[in-house]
Amino acid sequence: MTETRRKRGAPGEKGAFEILRRRFAEPASEEITPKEVFMASKATRRALLGGIGAASVAALMPGEAAAGAKLGAVPSCWSTDERPNSFEDITSYNNFYEFGTGKGDPKRHAARFSPRPWSVEIGGLVERPGTLSLDDILSGVRLEERIYRLRCVEAWSMVVPWVGFPLKTLLDRVGVRSGARHVAFETVYRPEEMPGQRRRILDWPYREGLRLDEAMHPLTILAVGVYDEPLPNQCGAPIRLVVPWKYGFKSIKSIVRITLTDRQPPTTWSSASPREYGYYANVNPEVDHPRWSQATERRIGDGFFARRRPTLMFNGYADQVADLYRGMDLRKFF
Ligand code: MTE
């Protein structure tokens, strides 16, 4: 997405280096997680259903997390029945520029990052502004498993079994005031723990935003886990946004600030390159990135000889979200 990518070539280019890199850097998920193991872990997760609320919060505490505590998320009707990528895929192929621009950098450099204790400041046009600890945020919250497709603007995709809850639940709790139109999000700024922030690759801290109706949509979640375990640091611990019908860069990680505003907030990628990255960033196979096509995507874990998959409008969530954009020119509001 940056200069680095420009030099290496746009996604979709198939130079020899790119082919070799794909061949050896991306084993198929089946090669990493044998099917029986995957199915067994799924069964275990189902067996754990019910232990939510206090148990979930306890599972997010550092000691417990290290012991592999399960969050006990309940299944959701919003999940896709597509097969999720392996835990290995999801936690070793990441975009988290705070830890570096390479896909393996976040896993490599995130171990020193400390996601506890954590709090999120919620302010702007809300009835009850304040700073909430992660425990406050999760108290009384029903954690759900949301298996979503994730489509990166770079034209790769995955299927991720997130654990989270609707952002709306939190916004309702703090009370959205009548003038609010957008929600702005900010990632933590800790250059001492995040080596990527010591370089001006982006204008830190990372910022994102959603229109209020997008933020209140039932598909929009705050995620605190993956595969029924607390989020690994490289995935945006301890709390991140997931908006499955938009390009992945909207799904901001390690959130410390949420602000309700009356106008569209500045966001990191659209400020860095407004021609390439819009505020809306809805997945749209008909609107190409200026440097590559968005018509198809490479599913991580599909294997070397697999065909690219067609990209679906709104990443396959058109039935749920197309109404939000009725009457809008999606080429203009990209
Ligand atoms: N959030 C922050 N703070 N920093 C980032 O670099 N990268 C974004 C998004 N959220 C990013 C971020 C991009 S480009 C993508 S595709 C997704 O995170 C990737 O999420 P994943 O690494 O969990 O797959």
Side-chain angles (χ1 to χ4, degrees):
M1 290 166 77
T2 60
E3 282 306 316
T4 325
R5 170 153 293 289
R6 216 162 280 155
K7 277 180 217 136
R8 282 193 201 137
E13 276 180 19
K14 287 207 189 72
F17 169 76
E18 177 67 2
I19 288 171
L20 284 170
R21 190 180 66 77
R22 286 186 196 174
R23 180 74 187 103
F24 294 108
E26 296 167 8
S29 50
E30 305 70 39
E31 288 167 43
I32 296 164
T33 312
K35 196 164 179 209
E36 315 75 70
V37 175
F38 172 76
M39 296 317 279
S41 74
K42 201 164 181 180
T44 315
R45 276 184 288 137
R46 302 283 178 225
L48 280 161
L49 299 185
I52 47 171
S56 310
V57 176
L60 281 157
M61 304 316 254
E64 297 287 330
K70 298 289 175 191
L71 296 174
V74 297
S76 159
C77 60
W78 297 99
S79 288
T80 169
D81 53 13
E82 280 184 63
R83 183 187 165 152
N85 279 82
S86 69
F87 185 82
E88 179 68 19
D89 284 342
I90 293 166
T91 58
S92 59
Y93 189 95
N94 299 99
N95 270 338
F96 201 168
Y97 278 23
E98 284 82 342
F99 294 107
T101 54
K103 295 291 180 273
D105 288 342
K107 182 174 181 180
R108 205 170 304 124
H109 299 303
R112 280 192 50 227
F113 178 70
S114 168
R116 308 282 186 284
W118 195 267
S119 55
V120 180
E121 194 187 316
I122 308 185
L125 295 170
V126 293
E127 305 288 353
R128 292 170 288 283
T131 300
L132 297 178
S133 70
L134 194 62
D135 285 4
D136 294 336
I137 292 173
L138 292 174
S139 82
V141 160
R142 207 171 97 108
L143 291 179
E144 296 171 38
E145 181 185 63
R146 297 280 187 113
I147 307 174
Y148 283 166
R149 289 176 290 276
L150 170 79
R151 168 61 156 82
C152 179
V153 73
E154 296 164 335
W156 54 265
S157 64
M158 291 203 204
V159 177
V160 184
W162 302 109
V163 173
F165 60 96
L167 171 62
K168 181 179 189 301
T169 309
L170 180 62
L171 296 180
D172 284 346
R173 242 171 82 188
V174 294
V176 176
R177 284 181 28 204
S178 61
R181 295 284 174 270
H182 291 263
V183 187
F185 304 85
E186 213 174 284
T187 293
V188 72
Y189 180 66
R190 281 194 205 159
E192 62 292 353
E193 290 179 32
M194 300 174 128
Q197 286 182 335
R198 288 178 224 146
R199 297 191 293 141
R200 289 194 55 84
I201 319 162
L202 290 174
D203 182 19
W204 312 114
Y206 194 103
R207 292 189 182 86
E208 258 312 330
L210 294 175
R211 223 168 56 184
L212 183 61
D213 57 348
E214 298 175 324
M216 299 298 257
H217 193 280
L219 278 171
T220 304
I221 59 165
L222 285 170
V224 293
V226 68
Y227 266 114
D228 215 31
E229 290 181 15
L231 280 180
N233 289 349
Q234 62 269 34
C235 295
I239 186 162
R240 71 173 292 172
L241 187 68
V242 181
V243 195
W245 71 94
K246 291 177 179 285
Y247 291 120
F249 69 86
K250 297 296 288 182
S251 293
I252 181 173
K253 299 178 171 184
S254 305
I255 296 169
V256 288
R257 188 165 292 116
I258 300 178
T259 312
L260 281 284
T261 70
D262 57 356
R263 65 200 62 177
Q264 187 175 308
T267 59
T268 297
W269 281 106
S270 61
S271 306
S273 186
R275 238 174 39 82
E276 296 181 293
Y277 308 108
Y279 179 75
Y280 282 89
N282 292 316
V283 174
N284 188 341
E286 286 160 25
V287 178
D288 287 339
H289 185 279
R291 290 184 279 125
W292 59 84
S293 162
Q294 294 290 25
T296 63
E297 65 201 53
R298 177 173 61 92
R299 178 65 54 85
I300 302 300
D302 260 357
F304 182 53
F305 294 109
R307 275 174 180 276
R308 293 175 70 83
R309 301 178 183 223
T311 287
L312 304 175
M313 188 63 201
F314 296 115
N315 201 22
Y317 298 97
D319 287 351
Q320 290 81 28
V321 302
D323 273 351
L324 295 174
Y325 310 103
R326 205 154 292 291
M328 280 176 72
D329 178 352
L330 296 179
R331 289 188 177 272
K332 190 166 162 217
F333 297 98
F334 67 99

